[in-house]
Amino acid sequence: MFVMATWGLNIVSVKYLTLHMDVQALAAVRIVIAFITVTLIIKARRGRIPRLGGAELGWVALAGFLVVYAHQMALVTGLRVSSAANGTLIMATSPLLSALLAAIFYREKLTLVRISGALLGLLGVGMVVVGSGARIGLTGWGDAIVFVAVLVFVCGGLVIQRMSRSMDPLGMLWYMYLAGGLMLVVHAALTPASYQGDTWQMTWWPWLVLLFSAVIASGVSNIVWNAGIARLGISRAALFVNWLPIFGLLFAALFLDEHVTLTHVAGLACVLAGTWLGLRRGAPVAGRNAAAKT
């Protein structure tokens, strides 16, 4: 829940930062700072960066490409065209996609309770978006690109689940940020807008917001998220993603003076019920099932 709260606040933070920095430069700087944060945490715990073989390096590079580079690039590009309401609803399809892909690739049991929980959570998110007064319409390619962003994030979670059998979350995240960060830095370096003077001449407050976004939302929270995937499996961990738009709207109400209505409360109840259904003790634990079949 901590992860979803920080990610929800991070939506507001990144939206604010796009007014001060080029998007490509912002993405690259955030991940570089997050990479430094993870490195310092590893050193503070007197840990060592694990050495990986060729196959393991290939997997972490794939995870870095999907979760760090491709997800951020597709999400930013899609939301430039798609509406915020559509983007929120599309992002809320993550639990359903996770359950389906985990059933395909890890032979997890796709129970009626699990699907019902994901659908109930999606209904709750839809109620929250409608209750916010947002108008939902089709925006074509923008919606499709946002869906790609969700899809690559879920696929990256499947890779993380596989990697978690032999790597700890800290070492895994370090290599992911190294690979994905290098891709983002190269992309930013090849983008002329990244060199605009206004991007680097910010006052102290935007830099402070940037540090929160990079250190807490991208660094610490992703360590917790990877640990959650390792323990619960991607299909169960993804149920918490239903909380992301809830926290996003709550922080928007707090910082942007938007109103919370009874429809929001009803939607929140659906999200709570959907999460509870998906995390019931009777539901199979993804990581254990996957490990037992290998």
Side-chain angles (χ1 to χ4, degrees), residues 141-274:
W141 283 109
D143 290 346
I145 296 173
V146 173
F147 181 78
V148 170
V150 177
L151 183 61
V152 295
F153 182 81
V154 171
C155 290
L158 293 174
V159 177
I160 291 172
Q161 182 173 328
R162 185 190 188 284
M163 292 161 51
S164 67
R165 303 173 193 172
S166 57
M167 294 184 65
D168 72 12
L170 273 175
M172 193 189 323
L173 188 60
W174 189 89
Y175 278 105
M176 285 170 53
Y177 274 157
L178 177 62
L182 285 174
M183 297 174 196
L184 286 171
V185 168
V186 170
H187 192 130
L190 296 176
T191 304
S194 300
Y195 301 99
Q196 293 177 353
D198 293 343
T199 293
W200 308 102
Q201 296 176 0
M202 299 188 299
T203 60
W204 65 272
W205 178 249
W207 283 110
L208 188 62
V209 174
L210 177 61
L211 285 176
F212 161 79
S213 177
V215 175
I216 305 299
S218 295
V220 176
S221 292
N222 274 307
I223 293 173
V224 179
W225 176 251
N226 284 3
I229 291 177
R231 183 174 180 179
L232 298 174
I234 183 59
S235 63
R236 297 181 73 196
L239 287 169
F240 287 99
V241 175
N242 282 328
W243 284 88
L244 179 57
I246 304 296
F247 280 117
L249 284 173
L250 288 176
F251 283 123
L254 180 63
F255 294 108
L256 303 177
D257 197 28
E258 295 184 3
H259 300 290
V260 177
T261 66
L262 289 177
T263 307
H264 292 108
V265 176
L268 180 61
C270 288
V271 171
L272 279 169

Side-chain angles (χ1 to χ4, degrees), residues 36-91:
I36 295 172
T37 300
V38 173
T39 303
L40 292 176
I41 291 174
I42 292 176
K43 294 299 181 182
R45 294 180 58 182
R46 297 182 180 179
R48 295 181 179 179
I49 306 299
R51 294 184 178 181
L52 304 181
E56 291 175 316
L57 284 173
W59 282 113
V60 292
L62 177 60
F65 170 77
L66 292 171
V67 176
V68 180
Y69 175 77
H71 172 69
Q72 291 213 17
M73 292 300 301
L75 187 62
V76 171
T77 303
L79 287 178
R80 285 178 177 174
V81 183
S82 178
S83 67
N86 284 19
T88 301
L89 283 175
I90 294 168
M91 290 173 67

